[in-house]
């Protein structure tokens, strides 16, 4: 009996020590503080100190890109939009020291107070209940485009934008890289650069030659890369080659979790809204056109 007591007495300190170590690691990952605001949460997520498994990373990307959906939705709705189970949202909240998702959701509700909810325009369309389904879809896409563009005005990083213009304007040759959903953006940017007399290469991967197309890139050149979640395209691999060769790299992407962030000299966050599963490109094109304008003005000024 005394032996059992001794074992229990010895294991108790070890258990406490293990729990203390876990708490210490958790606090360290959070920068030694529990996020009290949405801005603090974003700072923690962008710090790179928290490393998530696949499903939790999927949640983090969704929360980063759609704060109003998180603020206004039920746990079931948010989970459905993020493509995970509600229990995954609870686990995510608990990582940051919250008892459950509803407490964690308060960060997003406070952030959205007094702001324009992303779904507001769409709600008006639903109330109107257009008889014509095509017109309803058109109005939905217009609303998504407007929401995307409004984010640019609300939180544009002018410092990063100016640095991107400087690096691109100084380059001997600009490689424009983007695939899948980003390809329409990069195609138009390359065309516009060419029309303005700026030498560039559109890496289009025709004939699976993308890596050959960047084979001659040098430190005198620059890369303008565009990539959106779920980041499963060839773009990060191509940018990694350019990074190894010493080229300047600037990126347009939609969250701090993008693999382009660590490879880039500077980057801009552009988050596009969607309607009925179709995502806008309005904000990405607007920012891209502004970059082209800035590069041309810098070179001819």
């Amino acid at each position: 009996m005394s032996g059992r007591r001794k074992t229990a007495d010895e294991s108790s300190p070890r258990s406490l020590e293990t729990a203390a170590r876990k708490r210490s690691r958790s606090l360290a990952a959070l920068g030694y503080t529990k996020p009290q605001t949405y801005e603090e949460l974003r700072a923690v997520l962008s710090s790179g100190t928290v490393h998530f498994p696949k499903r939790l990373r999927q949640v983090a990307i969704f929360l980063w890109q759609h704060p109003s959906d998180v603020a206004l939705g039920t746990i079931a709705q948010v989970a459905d939009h993020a493509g995970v189970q509600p229990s995954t949202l609870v686990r995510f909240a608990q990582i940051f020291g919250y008892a459950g998702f509803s407490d964690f959701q308060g960060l997003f509700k406070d952030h959205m107070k007094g702001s324009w909810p992303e779904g507001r325009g769409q709600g008006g369309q639903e109330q109107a209940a257009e008889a014509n389904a095509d017109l309803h879809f058109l109005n939905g896409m217009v609303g998504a485009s407007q929401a995307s563009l409004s984010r640019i005005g609300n939180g544009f990083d002018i410092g990063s934008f100016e640095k991107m213009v400087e690096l691109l304007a100084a380059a001997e040759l600009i490689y424009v890289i983007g695939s899948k959903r980003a390809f329409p953006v990069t195609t138009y940017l390359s065309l516009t650069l060419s029309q303005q007399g700026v030498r560039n290469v559109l890496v289009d991967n025709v004939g699976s030659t993308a890596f050959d197309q960047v084979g001659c890139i040098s430190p005198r050149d620059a890369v303008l890369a565009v990539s959106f979640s779920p980041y499963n395209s060839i773009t990060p691999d191509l940018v990694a080659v350019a990074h190894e060769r010493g080229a300047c790299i600037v990126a347009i992407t939609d969250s701090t979790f993008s693999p382009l962030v660590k490879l880039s000299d500077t980057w801009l966050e552009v988050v596009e809204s969607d309607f009925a599963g179709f995502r806008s490109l309005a904000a990405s094109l607007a920012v891209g056109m502004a970059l082209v304008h800035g590069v041309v003005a810098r070179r001819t000024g």
Side-chain angles (χ1 to χ4, degrees), residues 97-179:
Y98 286 86
F101 179 74
S102 59
D103 293 337
F104 182 67
Q105 190 181 33
L107 299 180
F108 296 83
K109 290 181 178 179
D110 290 342
H111 171 68
M112 294 307 298
K113 283 179 182 176
S115 65
W116 186 284
E118 290 176 15
R120 186 168 174 179
Q122 296 174 10
Q125 295 153 15
E126 291 171 355
Q127 291 174 4
E130 296 96 344
N132 189 312
D134 293 331
L135 180 59
H136 175 71
F137 181 82
L138 173 61
N139 287 335
M141 287 305 302
V142 170
S145 298
Q146 290 173 334
S148 301
L149 292 166
S150 69
R151 288 198 200 92
I152 300 299
N154 292 336
F156 191 67
D157 188 343
I158 188 63
S160 292
F161 177 82
E162 292 293 342
K163 185 175 180 181
M164 290 175 76
V165 169
E166 288 179 12
L167 293 176
L168 292 173
E172 185 173 293
L173 184 62
I174 299 173
Y175 287 78
V176 189
I177 301 177
S179 56

Side-chain angles (χ1 to χ4, degrees), residues 220-263:
R220 299 185 302 275
D221 303 324
V223 168
L224 171 56
V226 183
S227 179
F228 307 116
S229 59
Y231 316 123
N232 58 359
S233 69
I234 195 175
T235 301
D237 294 331
L238 292 169
V239 172
V241 171
H243 182 266
E244 290 173 0
R245 292 177 177 272
C248 293
I249 298 168
V250 302
I252 297 173
T253 191
D254 55 3
S255 84
T256 190
F257 299 97
S258 170
L260 296 187
V261 170
K262 291 182 179 179
L263 296 170

Side-chain angles (χ1 to χ4, degrees), residues 47-63:
S47 68
T49 57
V50 185
H51 302 285
F52 301 107
K54 180 180 178 181
R55 288 300 180 191
L56 293 180
R57 186 173 183 272
Q58 188 173 328
V59 170
I61 293 172
F62 181 81
L63 299 185

Side-chain angles (χ1 to χ4, degrees), residues 4-208:
R4 286 185 196 146
R5 266 193 225 103
K6 184 176 180 182
T7 301
D9 291 340
E10 286 178 349
S11 64
S12 180
R14 283 200 298 270
S15 298
L16 291 173
E17 184 180 352
T18 300
R21 282 200 303 269
K22 287 181 179 179
R23 284 195 299 271
S24 176
R25 286 197 298 268
S26 178
L27 288 174
L30 299 177
Y32 301 100
T33 184
K34 174 182 174 181
Q36 299 297 324
T37 66
Y38 171 74
E39 288 72 22
E40 288 182 9
L41 175 65
R42 277 180 63 99
V44 173
L45 292 176
S46 63
S47 68
T49 57
V50 185
H51 302 285
F52 301 107
K54 180 180 178 181
R55 288 300 180 191
L56 293 180
R57 186 173 183 272
Q58 188 173 328
V59 170
I61 293 172
F62 181 81
L63 299 185
W64 182 281
Q65 296 177 352
H66 304 283
S68 64
D69 288 346
V70 179
L72 302 173
T74 64
I75 186 172
Q77 290 170 335
V78 175
D80 181 59
H81 292 159
V84 298
Q85 296 296 319
S87 59
T88 306
L89 294 179
V90 175
R91 267 179 35 207
F92 190 91
Q94 289 173 342
I95 287 175
F96 290 91
Y98 286 86
F101 179 74
S102 59
D103 293 337
F104 182 67
Q105 190 181 33
L107 299 180
F108 296 83
K109 290 181 178 179
D110 290 342
H111 171 68
M112 294 307 298
K113 283 179 182 176
S115 65
W116 186 284
E118 290 176 15
R120 186 168 174 179
Q122 296 174 10
Q125 295 153 15
E126 291 171 355
Q127 291 174 4
E130 296 96 344
N132 189 312
D134 293 331
L135 180 59
H136 175 71
F137 181 82
L138 173 61
N139 287 335
M141 287 305 302
V142 170
S145 298
Q146 290 173 334
S148 301
L149 292 166
S150 69
R151 288 198 200 92
I152 300 299
N154 292 336
F156 191 67
D157 188 343
I158 188 63
S160 292
F161 177 82
E162 292 293 342
K163 185 175 180 181
M164 290 175 76
V165 169
E166 288 179 12
L167 293 176
L168 292 173
E172 185 173 293
L173 184 62
I174 299 173
Y175 287 78
V176 189
I177 301 177
S179 56
K180 295 188 176 181
R181 187 164 62 88
F183 188 66
V185 179
T186 53
T187 302
Y188 191 44
L189 296 186
S190 175
L191 171 64
T192 310
L193 285 167
S194 297
Q195 289 175 334
Q196 298 298 318
V198 179
R199 295 178 63 244
N200 72 94
V201 174
L202 173 63
V203 181
D204 54 19
N205 199 29
V206 172
S208 300

